[in-house]
Amino acid sequence: MIEIQNLGFSYAGSFAASAGSSAAGSGNSASSSSEKKKALWQINLTIPDGEFLGIIGSSGAGKSTLTYAINGVIPHCYPGDFYGKIRVNGLDTVETGIDTLSRQVGSIFQDIDGQMVAQVVEDEILFGLENFGIPHDEIESRLTEALAAAGIEDLRYREMSSLSGGQKQKAAIAAVIALRPKIILLDEPTGELDPQASRKIFECLKELNEKHGITIIVVEQKIMLLCEFAKRLAVMDSGRLIREGTVKEVLQRPDILENAGVNIPRVTTLGNRLREKGIYAGALPRDLSEAQLMVQEILQKEELSHA
């Protein structure tokens, strides 16, 4: 479980600029820090085990900063003023080293090529296992299980340079799975992928969530795709968490999403316009199948009114 309480964070402009301000994790702000722009402000959020959470918001809303706070990159790697508290499976992210936190939270960042350290898929997975000191007699089973879970058994001996963008993402996911984290955090994993490859990544994440019980947290701009797979959504705006709930609950307030600069699914926009005109009164659709049901309901009512 991830428990976030009154989280706030301000990036330091440089190490020198942070001098005289409170140390990261102190929980007390200095007078100079009050003038800094807060990247995060009073975030309160609980993410239970087995959740599939999508984080959405416009550029600069604080989505990536929130993920850095969850996996410990903030405050351990970025200087600044840290307020509040985050516990990941009972571990305080300020008091716990990032090496220990990385065993709980496996992270996959936007720049997938920059995250790769090996030339061959097998070696990419072995790198993490060896660096984490996994016993030698466990390595082969973890390796094969990770490849199978990510659906890339056939890529085991392929060179990374020969892989497509989607295959590289799956190789990164397999490298994380091999470490058996309870949480996988991804920052825009489909940003450079085509629709087909993007869907395959989300199908892989869905299987990890439902079959293996891994908590999935995804920052994603492809809202319609995210709404199809996520169980809950968290909406960020200007460093604040402005709405959180099931996908249907969040989509029921398209005005909040639009004000936050979020491009909601077109089918949801259509449903909202039909509701405004008094043509439709049901739940707003989040994907094509639900939009089809909405249209069928409207047509049936129209037929009955003329019967």
Side-chain angles (χ1 to χ4, degrees):
M1 175 181 289
I2 300 171
E3 300 171 281
I4 303 174
Q5 300 174 342
N6 299 319
L7 172 64
F9 183 75
S10 298
Y11 286 102
S14 66
F15 286 101
S18 64
S21 66
S22 60
S26 66
N28 297 313
S29 62
S31 58
S32 61
S33 68
S34 63
E35 300 174 0
K36 298 174 184 176
K37 180 180 179 182
K38 291 182 173 61
L40 297 175
W41 180 245
Q42 292 185 339
I43 306 294
N44 288 282
L45 179 65
T46 298
I47 306 173
D49 294 338
E51 183 64 274
F52 193 137
L53 176 71
I55 302 176
I56 60 177
S58 62
S59 177
K63 305 183 299 296
S64 294
T65 302
L66 179 58
T67 65
Y68 294 157
I70 291 173
N71 64 17
V73 170
I74 289 175
H76 295 288
C77 298
Y78 286 115
D81 299 320
F82 187 101
Y83 312 84
K85 181 173 290 187
I86 303 180
R87 289 189 179 277
V88 176
N89 295 329
L91 300 175
D92 188 303
T93 59
V94 173
E95 299 175 354
T96 306
I98 197 168
D99 55 335
T100 301
L101 289 171
S102 63
R103 295 175 181 269
Q104 300 290 324
V105 184
S107 302
I108 299 173
F109 304 105
Q110 294 183 43
D111 182 8
I112 198 64
D113 289 318
Q115 190 170 348
M116 298 298 180
V117 297
Q119 296 182 340
V120 177
V121 171
E122 179 185 60
D123 293 337
E124 181 69 28
I125 300 172
L126 289 173
F127 178 84
L129 292 172
E130 292 170 353
N131 276 272
F132 271 68
I134 303 303
H136 183 75
D137 58 357
E138 290 184 27
I139 288 181
E140 178 60 27
S141 61
R142 287 201 183 204
L143 174 62
T144 55
E145 287 173 6
L147 289 167
I152 55 169
E153 299 99 319
D154 57 327
L155 302 181
R156 177 169 180 167
Y157 303 108
R158 286 274 297 274
E159 292 189 2
M160 301 299 296
S161 60
S162 71
L163 303 183
S164 66
Q167 289 172 329
K168 288 181 180 178
Q169 286 285 9
K170 286 190 174 184
I173 291 172
V176 168
I177 294 171
L179 301 176
R180 296 180 180 172
K182 297 180 180 179
I183 302 161
I184 296 181
L185 192 157
L186 306 97
D187 192 354
E188 298 193 27
T190 69
E192 299 182 7
L193 304 183
D194 59 39
Q196 183 177 7
S198 297
R199 173 168 287 277
K200 288 182 178 180
I201 292 299
F202 270 90
E203 288 173 348
C204 175
L205 296 177
K206 180 181 180 180
E207 182 173 357
L208 293 173
N209 176 249
E210 296 182 350
K211 184 177 179 180
H212 300 279
I214 297 175
T215 300
I216 305 293
I217 304 172
V218 186
V219 173
E220 183 58 69
Q221 295 288 354
K222 297 175 182 176
I223 305 301
M224 188 168 180
L225 181 64
L226 179 63
C227 288
E228 184 178 344
F229 288 89
K231 297 175 183 176
R232 301 182 71 84
L233 294 176
V235 186
M236 299 289 296
D237 185 25
S238 301
R240 294 178 181 270
L241 176 64
I242 62 171
R243 190 163 177 79
E244 189 269 336
T246 67
V247 174
K248 287 190 175 182
E249 288 171 346
V250 171
L251 292 182
Q252 291 304 307
R253 291 297 305 274
D255 55 324
I256 294 178
L257 299 178
E258 291 172 354
N259 289 336
V262 176
N263 294 318
I264 62 177
R266 293 181 180 178
V267 292
T268 303
T269 300
L270 172 61
N272 189 46
R273 297 293 182 267
L274 292 173
R275 288 173 70 174
E276 290 175 351
K277 294 181 179 296
I279 299 173
Y280 176 67
L284 294 176
R286 58 180 179 175
D287 54 36
L288 289 175
S289 62
E290 292 182 359
Q292 183 179 5
L293 294 174
M294 176 184 69
V295 172
Q296 290 175 346
E297 180 180 332
I298 293 172
L299 292 176
Q300 288 173 356
K301 288 183 178 179
E302 184 69 15
E303 290 176 357
L304 290 174
S305 65
H306 289 86

